[in-house]
Amino acid sequence: QVHLKESGGGSVQAGGSLRLSCAASGSLSSINALGWYRQAPGQERELVAVITTDDDRTKYSLSAEGRFTISRDSTKNMVYLQMNNLKPEDTGVYYCNAGEGGSGWWTEIDHWGQGTQVTVSS
């Protein structure tokens, strides 16, 4: 079983920055991708950023690209999301995701954290 716990959320003004952290534990050897998703009020959960565990390839949503950076530390079982130049539309609950059983960014089984709230005011 994989366990994920997010931290680092909070309230900031537009243009500010936040750094989200996700601590992973459990059976992690089969994880092939780590990602961050967000769910805004009344909207579906969407992918923000993903990183592969084999070669650290990254991919971002159009809204996140150029402003957000995903990274990981395999020795500490941590994944991070650095968010700069935050906008009100970035507001939502951010979830850490770990996928296994696939290749690259594609996964067969997904594991989720409980989420951390990010609120960006104008």
Side-chain angles (χ1 to χ4, degrees):
Q1 190 175 13
V2 176
H3 301 275
L4 305 171
K5 187 174 183 179
E6 305 93 336
S7 62
S11 298
V12 297
Q13 290 188 312
S17 299
L18 284 174
R19 183 175 174 84
L20 305 183
S21 299
C22 175
S25 61
S27 301
L28 306 177
S29 61
S30 62
I31 299 297
N32 65 276
L34 296 162
W36 287 95
Y37 290 70
R38 72 183 173 201
Q39 187 166 17
Q43 300 184 24
E44 296 181 347
R45 189 174 301 182
E46 63 177 347
L47 175 68
V48 176
V50 62
I51 184 170
T52 60
T53 58
D54 59 347
D55 58 1
D56 287 326
R57 288 176 295 157
T58 59
K59 193 173 185 179
Y60 301 89
S61 67
L62 291 177
S63 64
E65 190 168 5
R67 300 187 298 125
F68 295 1
T69 302
I70 188 171
S71 61
R72 69 185 185 96
D73 187 338
S74 60
T75 64
K76 298 180 179 179
N77 296 323
M78 298 286 292
V79 59
Y80 308 96
L81 183 68
Q82 178 66 44
M83 304 186 293
N84 297 326
N85 192 25
L86 284 162
K87 303 175 181 180
E89 51 263 42
D90 295 320
T91 294
V93 179
Y94 283 70
Y95 297 90
C96 182
N97 170 267
E100 63 178 315
S103 179
W105 296 298
W106 184 87
T107 61
E108 179 68 22
I109 301 173
D110 291 309
H111 306 273
W112 299 93
Q114 64 181 8
T116 183
Q117 177 71 44
V118 172
T119 302
V120 184
S121 60
S122 60

